[in-house]
Amino acid sequence: MLKMNKDIKDVDQYIATSPEEIQGILKKVRSIIQKHAPEAVESMAYCMPAYKTFKKPLVYFAAQSKHLGFYATPQGNEAFVEELSKYKQGKGSIQFPYNDVPYDLIEKIVKYRVAENEAMYKNKV
């Protein structure tokens, strides 16, 4: 990971202190999340930008040395198995190389996770 700086207090600071050559990528991912999850609560968790809807984790992202780490929970990965097959993955994590960040896919994943969190919330109410 590029940084595990516990002194970083918000996403603006996180992006501003990231390497200049990837700040645009981080800003674009953030804007996708904000556009498709406008009600999401933005914070820092695990030293990376974190978003929640209905008090449940939505997605996280992190600047790594050679890739963008994107964390959409295991369900987010499972719903897009085919599209994600060319990327290195872990349980709930995806590694997008900086030269091949699939913004359209990130948008689809965010929309899916928003709908998933909303459905879980409505089922509890």
Side-chain angles (χ1 to χ4, degrees), residues 4-65:
M4 280 289 286
N5 188 340
K6 295 180 189 310
D7 295 330
I8 293 177
K9 302 296 181 209
D10 61 31
V11 178
D12 288 325
Q13 186 181 14
Y14 182 90
I15 292 171
T17 59
S18 295
E20 201 171 315
E21 63 273 12
I22 62 171
Q23 288 180 14
I25 294 168
L26 301 175
K27 288 177 184 176
K28 183 151 182 156
V29 171
R30 182 189 196 188
S31 72
I32 289 168
I33 296 165
Q34 290 173 328
K35 179 180 179 182
H36 297 287
E39 71 289 348
V41 175
E42 181 180 80
S43 65
M44 293 294 294
Y46 310 105
C47 299
M48 66 179 133
Y51 298 83
K52 286 184 175 185
T53 55
F54 302 101
K55 299 182 181 180
K56 298 286 184 193
L58 183 70
V59 294
Y60 304 78
F61 65 89
Q64 307 292 342
S65 58

Side-chain angles (χ1 to χ4, degrees), residues 67-108:
H67 65 271
L68 172 74
F70 192 74
Y71 309 87
T73 75
Q75 303 92 309
N77 285 26
E78 291 164 7
F80 296 92
V81 171
E82 190 172 316
E83 292 107 317
L84 292 171
S85 64
K86 72 179 201 173
Y87 302 103
K88 187 173 181 181
Q89 300 175 59
K91 185 177 179 181
S93 68
I94 312 155
Q95 295 181 9
F96 295 129
Y98 288 123
N99 65 352
D100 186 25
V101 177
Y103 298 110
D104 291 345
L105 180 55
I106 289 172
E107 181 178 319
K108 287 182 192 177

